[in-house]
Amino acid sequence: MVDDTWSSALHRLWQAASRAEEVAALADDVYAPLLATPGVHLVVGTRWDEKHVLRYMRALSAGSDTPVIVATTRSMPGAAVREPGGEPVVTRSAVDGLDGSVWPEAEFLRQAPGASVVACTFRLDQRGWAALALAVDGTADLGVVESRLTQAVDVIVACHTGILQRGREARRASDDALLAEASLQMDSSLDVEDTLRRVARIAVPAVADGALVHLLRSEGPEFVAATHVAVQQQRALEEAGRHDPWLAALLAHRGEDEDTVFLSGAALEGSPFAEAGGADGANGAAAHARPAGDGPHPTVVSISTLRARGRVVGSITFVYQRPEARLPDSAFLRSLATRAALAIDNALLYELRRTAVLSLQEHLLPSQLPESVQWDLSASYAVGDPMLDVGGDFYDAVPRPDGSIALLIGDVCGRGAEAAALTGLARHTLRTLLEEGNDPGTALSRLNRALRQERATRFLTAVVATLTPRPDGTALLSTCSAGHPPPLVLRSDGTVSEVLSGGLLLGVLDDVSYESHEELIAPDDTLVLFTDGLTESREAGGAFFESVLPARLSALRGSGAAHIAESLAQQAETFRDSGQDDIALLVARWTGVPPDAGLLPRDPRIEQAALR
């Protein structure tokens, strides 16, 4: 005959188990039906950890609605004899024969003198086990009692397994989300130290309570970043990262093939993380981070090697003060370390490439400009390409045998090694020709011929201007252009004019001639040569810097060449919302008189007004 009451109760128990977020939430649905079984007077449940420490006890007697709940950390080595193996174990005992060192439930079960005990011990997971004990009298059908008890245990075990599975899935989803966010954050910076700091910040507190990141240099580990959930302890952790000999020795001896290692207890002796560390040390920092009411947890330290493209780039050390269940697993730390290592390696490669490109760029430009009492020269160069390919912009200033000076600026189409080679060829060819006294048009024509003979696959633009002193203190400006943006002349009164120029691009056709345009410039007039990276800088609204350049240049009247070059380059970069071309400027202010005559007074208010 089917027991509808028990069947309904068991059905409700399974439903509750499917929704429960913790096993303890099933207690009411388990205890009440068992107590409703004829002959059952008391139900006592216990929860044990893997070291035979009693963590929890709950007792409910028939006729009572209020259970007795005991949370404890009582160590009971004698209970080892009751620990189950793989399958639940059901036993029958007399209440009077229970050993209190083995059965902590005895203090409740003895409330039913003369009764028997039907108990079931069962394993929940690798970290612990549990037991349900029923006090029954002589009227109980022990077969029915055991059947109902094992069915209830089946539900509890299934519930716990489901909770663990859902927890693992949630943890996996959380880990995946954290790894994705970590990759996004770390990949958003190409600065090495900023990337390392991001690694530390991302990991705390999601992964650990504290984190230290070291970069591997030729001389050994170099501390870069640290963070901690306890802000007031940040300095202690940083100090340990920089100067602690125990940590430095450990990091220095980690092999390239080592996976993440976890250290705790005796393995941390002599370290800044040892339990005897005190409040002023790194362990003190971890102690301050312990969750309120969660009880003390032993310090655990993990060290992961950061390895990318077959080489070690550094290490990340995590400090934990949390329950073991909340420690990350090795697979997660390995994945995080791999992503961090790749981000760091990318930043290191970018740094090396940036250094190499800037060094090459410097060698493609003159190391210094010539000085004279008759002119004030300055130049500015701003790299616009975030990928750091070598640009094709160049400039130079060449004193000539007749006392004049030749100014040249050019722009090779494209970027990269081929553009750099053509840049070097163009600048040095023009410089040599102009030093020999050739006029600008002849110099450009011969450069064009050389490019055609070399079968250059890229074209370039250039402009050459000569300044020849005249007895009256003025200078004859002779300008010749090969498809380059026309230079501007800033007069001493603030007037800005464009130098007439034309001519075909270099390297396109054979036997091209170039004509010069001549005009006079007076003392305190300024010639400004530039590449199209300046004029083609575009703001968000679509306007080009070319549209505001005359007004911006006029506002700089009375300024020296260095200030004009630097100011225009900075203004264009600030103005620019799109466009990544390099910006080169060469500025020549003609003095015509000894420098002790001084500059015309510069009015900063005029310059600021032009920026509005």
Side-chain angles (χ1 to χ4, degrees):
M1 180 177 178
V2 177
D3 187 341
D4 292 335
T5 303
W6 173 251
S7 297
S8 298
L10 192 61
H11 178 70
R12 290 193 299 271
L13 182 57
W14 277 110
Q15 287 182 318
S18 66
R19 299 188 301 267
E21 296 183 359
E22 57 180 13
V23 173
L26 292 180
D28 292 339
D29 294 289
V30 171
Y31 284 39
L34 289 175
L35 283 172
T37 303
V40 176
H41 297 279
L42 184 70
V43 180
V44 185
T46 52
R47 181 76 175 268
W48 305 79
D49 67 15
E50 72 276 16
K51 297 179 181 179
H52 309 114
V53 174
L54 178 65
R55 293 291 182 179
Y56 173 87
M57 188 158 54
R58 188 181 197 274
L60 183 66
S61 59
S64 174
D65 295 328
T66 305
V68 177
I69 299 174
V70 179
T72 181
T73 55
R74 190 193 313 175
S75 177
M76 300 186 68
V81 298
R82 296 178 59 196
E83 182 176 355
E87 297 296 328
V89 177
V90 178
T91 60
R92 298 179 185 178
S93 307
V95 169
D96 296 337
L98 297 179
D99 182 350
S101 64
V102 177
W103 290 78
E105 307 99 314
E107 62 180 284
F108 295 104
L109 294 171
R110 290 188 181 121
Q111 296 175 11
S116 298
V117 176
V118 179
C120 181
T121 55
F122 53 95
R123 181 159 294 283
L124 291 172
D125 50 49
Q126 294 301 316
R127 294 192 298 271
W129 53 282
L132 270 179
L134 310 180
V136 300
D137 61 23
T139 65
D141 184 334
L142 295 182
V144 172
V145 171
E146 287 186 8
S147 174
R148 293 187 178 185
L149 181 58
T150 55
Q151 288 176 346
V153 166
D154 287 342
V155 178
I156 294 173
V157 172
C159 175
H160 185 72
T161 302
I163 291 171
L164 291 180
Q165 179 62 30
R166 291 193 295 273
R168 284 192 292 267
E169 292 174 356
R171 180 72 173 268
R172 189 178 302 114
S174 176
D175 288 350
D176 290 345
L178 178 61
L179 289 172
E181 177 65 19
S183 296
L184 183 64
Q185 290 292 325
M186 291 184 293
D187 292 344
S188 65
S189 174
L190 287 174
D191 178 83
V192 176
E193 292 196 5
D194 182 58
T195 298
L196 289 164
R197 284 191 291 269
R198 286 170 183 257
V199 172
R201 288 197 299 267
I202 289 168
V204 176
V207 176
D209 300 284
L212 299 113
V213 183
H214 289 77
L215 193 64
L216 182 62
R217 300 294 192 184
S218 57
E219 60 274 13
E222 176 190 336
F223 169 77
V224 177
T227 188
H228 199 283
V229 290
V231 177
Q232 68 273 24
Q233 299 300 325
Q234 178 87 15
R235 187 173 300 173
L237 200 59
E238 292 175 352
E239 185 70 14
R242 286 192 180 93
H243 304 299
D244 184 74
W246 181 92
L247 183 59
L250 181 64
L251 296 180
H253 289 89
R254 281 189 53 76
E256 292 191 4
D257 297 329
E258 288 190 73
D259 199 356
T260 296
V261 295
F262 286 86
L263 305 173
S264 60
L268 295 177
E269 289 183 6
S271 78
F273 315 108
E275 287 303 317
D280 292 332
N283 183 65
H288 279 78
R290 297 172 183 172
D294 198 24
H297 299 289
T299 300
V300 178
V301 173
S302 70
I303 302 175
S304 299
T305 300
L306 302 177
R307 187 182 299 104
R309 299 180 180 92
R311 65 189 185 94
V312 176
V313 297
S315 64
I316 182 166
T317 302
F318 290 132
V319 181
Y320 312 92
Q321 279 286 342
R322 55 184 63 187
E324 183 180 344
R326 291 179 54 203
L327 296 181
D329 58 33
S330 296
F332 171 79
L333 291 178
R334 184 166 54 250
S335 182
L336 179 62
T338 298
R339 296 171 190 236
L342 288 173
I344 292 167
D345 193 54
N346 285 337
L348 286 170
L349 292 175
Y350 178 85
E351 184 179 77
L352 290 173
R353 182 177 181 182
R354 182 176 184 273
T355 301
V357 167
L358 293 179
S359 176
L360 177 58
Q361 197 82 65
E362 289 176 359
H363 283 83
L364 293 175
L365 300 173
S367 58
Q368 61 183 17
L369 297 174
E371 297 181 358
S372 171
V373 296
Q374 292 182 302
W375 62 69
D376 172 23
L377 285 181
S378 188
S380 177
Y381 196 105
V383 177
D385 179 23
M387 298 307 296
L388 285 181
D389 276 330
V390 182
D393 293 13
F394 64 92
Y395 61 82
D396 208 343
V398 185
R400 290 156 53 87
D402 61 357
S404 65
I405 183 172
L407 308 175
L408 61 100
I409 195 166
D411 186 1
V412 176
C413 174
R415 310 186 69 86
E418 187 179 356
L422 194 56
T423 296
L425 171 66
R427 184 173 81 84
H428 290 292
T429 299
L430 286 176
R431 181 180 180 87
T432 300
L433 293 170
L434 293 167
E435 282 179 331
E436 293 174 350
N438 290 281
D439 63 82
T442 300
L444 289 174
S445 295
R446 292 182 61 178
L447 173 59
N448 181 72
R449 191 180 313 146
L451 294 174
R452 297 295 294 169
Q453 291 173 349
E454 292 292 330
R455 300 183 183 276
T457 58
R458 298 170 183 258
F459 63 83
L460 64 93
T461 68
V463 64
V464 178
T466 59
L467 293 173
T468 306
R470 290 165 51 91
D472 61 358
T474 62
L476 177 64
L477 171 62
S478 179
T479 308
C480 192
S481 177
H484 197 81
L488 298 177
V489 175
L490 170 63
R491 303 294 179 178
S492 59
D493 62 357
T495 304
V496 176
S497 60
E498 188 176 274
V499 177
L500 295 177
S501 61
L504 190 66
L505 304 173
L506 294 164
V508 177
L509 298 176
D510 298 327
D511 301 324
V512 179
S513 60
Y514 296 91
E515 298 181 355
S516 297
H517 168 77
E518 295 183 348
E519 62 180 279
L520 294 178
I521 62 171
D524 294 315
D525 287 349
T526 302
L527 178 66
V528 180
L529 297 86
F530 48 87
T531 56
D532 58 9
L534 179 77
T535 53
E536 293 180 2
S537 294
R538 180 182 291 186
E539 68 173 354
F544 289 98
F545 191 71
E546 181 180 24
S547 63
V548 300
L549 177 57
R552 299 288 181 91
L553 179 57
S554 177
L556 293 169
R557 58 185 176 274
S559 300
H563 180 72
I564 292 175
E566 293 173 5
S567 178
L568 288 179
Q570 291 175 359
Q571 289 183 44
E573 288 190 280
T574 302
F575 182 90
R576 176 163 55 193
D577 181 72
S578 63
Q580 297 178 343
D581 202 2
D582 292 0
I583 297 174
L585 288 120
L586 181 60
V587 179
R589 175 181 166 274
W590 184 255
T591 63
V593 292
D596 55 10
L599 298 174
L600 292 178
R602 176 167 65 93
D603 189 346
R605 294 173 296 177
I606 299 176
E607 181 179 344
Q608 291 300 319
L611 298 177
R612 298 193 182 100

